[in-house]
Amino acid sequence: GIQVEQSPPDLILQEGANSTLRCNFSDSVNNLQWFHQNPWGQLINLFYIPSGTKQNGRLSATTVATERYSLLYISSSQTTDSGVYFCAVARGSQGNLIFGKGTKLSVKP
Amino acid sequence: DTAVSQTPKYLVTQMGNDKSIKCEQNLGHDTMYWYKQDSKKFLKIMFSYNNKELIINETVPNRFSPKSPDKAHLNLHINSLELGDSAVYFCASSTRERIYGNTIYFGEGSWLTVV
């Protein structure tokens, strides 16, 4: 099956700093999504981005499908950005996402 | 107006019991899923279901079974609960209007503790 690796596994930032989270995947995919799991356990969909670049406020994401990686950028981080960020991919006509192990982000005030 | 809702949010039960977790989506999606998140936060697909087919992850014990009374509901039944079943179970839904890729929406999770 497809392997999904995320880096770094843990990240500690000071409020206001910028960061880049990376997701590598081992095979071609036609579905890639980024999620944020907040400290209360809620999984929030950030981006559906199998290719290209998208931006939403302080967050943006880029997927280079031919090189099998995706990046999530967080600018001017806030304490509410803390949590675990997951990358998930799928291939074929099924939507069954395969998740990476996540990047745990802690933003300090 | 919660998009994907699960009940109960917390469930503590004894080994050997049978329990169910209910899931409802009001998004009009045609595919629903169950995911399991273990103590290390690893998320893994258990089932996906639309009105045509059920796809089961082969690693899921047959003590787990999904039941879909209609398109908007996919309930999870667990028989003979074991300690290792303790986890957070997430229901999710998506639409397959686009064959290649779809955005998936998760419920808030159900924390199951088996004692």
Side-chain angles (χ1 to χ4, degrees), chain A residues 7 15 19-22 30 34 43 49 58 61-62 67 69 75 79 85 87 91 93 102 106 108:
Chain A
S7 58
E15 200 167 26
S19 62
T20 301
L21 282 56
R22 187 177 180 102
N30 50 34
W34 282 96
L43 273 166
I49 187 165
R58 297 181 296 103
T62 294
E67 297 187 20
Y69 73 88
S75 63
T79 55
Y85 289 81
C87 169
R91 60 183 301 176
S93 59
S106 299
K108 306 297 185 185

Side-chain angles (χ1 to χ4, degrees), chain B residues 24-25 32 49 67-74:
Chain B
E24 176 181 6
Q25 56 94 4
M32 296 183 71
Y49 182 77
K67 297 280 194 305
S68 181
D70 56 58
K71 189 177 172 181
H73 296 82
L74 184 67

Side-chain angles (χ1 to χ4, degrees), chain B residues 99-112:
Chain B
I99 295 176
Y100 295 108
N102 43 62
T103 300
I104 190 168
Y105 296 89
F106 282 86
E108 295 192 343
S110 294
W111 273 251
L112 172 65

Side-chain angles (χ1 to χ4, degrees), chain A residues 15-37:
Chain A
E15 200 167 26
N18 302 329
S19 62
T20 301
L21 282 56
R22 187 177 180 102
C23 172
N24 292 333
F25 43 97
S26 61
D27 206 342
S28 59
V29 299
N30 50 34
N31 188 341
L32 188 147
Q33 298 182 34
W34 282 96
F35 296 87
H36 174 220
Q37 187 167 36

Side-chain angles (χ1 to χ4, degrees), chain B residues 17 47 60-65 77-82 84-85:
Chain B
N17 284 352
F47 306 101
V60 175
N62 57 15
R63 298 181 295 104
F64 291 78
S65 58
H77 296 269
I78 316 170
N79 295 327
S80 302
L81 278 157
E82 300 177 358
D85 297 332

Side-chain angles (χ1 to χ4, degrees), chain A residues 52-64:
Chain A
T53 298
K54 289 186 178 179
Q55 179 156 6
N56 184 1
R58 297 181 296 103
L59 302 181
S60 63
T62 294
T63 298
V64 183

